[in-house]
């Protein structure tokens, strides 16, 4: 008889993340590695506005 090894979890293997935990962890890692200012959208819009003004 062949043992059903594939049905048993691996030794020292953590379970797969559920319900978006992996994605949430990835987002958290990116945010901590590349901190964005709180007003990033304002800064982008202001840069575009000044760029258009300079072309007048």
């Amino acid at each position: 008889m062949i043992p059903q090894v594939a049905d048993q979890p691996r030794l020292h293997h953590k379970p797969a993340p559920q319900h978006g935990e992996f994605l949430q962890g990835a987002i958290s890692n990116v945010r901590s590695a590349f901190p964005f200012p709180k007003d990033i959208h304002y800064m982008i819009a202001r840069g575009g506005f000044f760029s258009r003004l300079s072309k007048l």
Side-chain angles (χ1 to χ4, degrees), residues 7-28:
D7 293 339
Q8 299 173 0
R10 296 180 193 170
L11 292 175
H12 310 293
H13 185 262
K14 52 181 207 187
Q18 300 291 323
H19 304 292
E21 292 174 6
F22 176 80
L23 185 60
Q24 291 173 354
I27 291 170
S28 174

Side-chain angles (χ1 to χ4, degrees), residues 28-47:
S28 174
N29 290 341
V30 168
R31 284 185 177 162
S32 64
F34 302 104
F36 290 104
K38 296 283 184 192
D39 58 349
I40 187 76
H41 297 97
Y42 169 76
M43 293 169 64
I44 293 169
R46 185 182 65 180

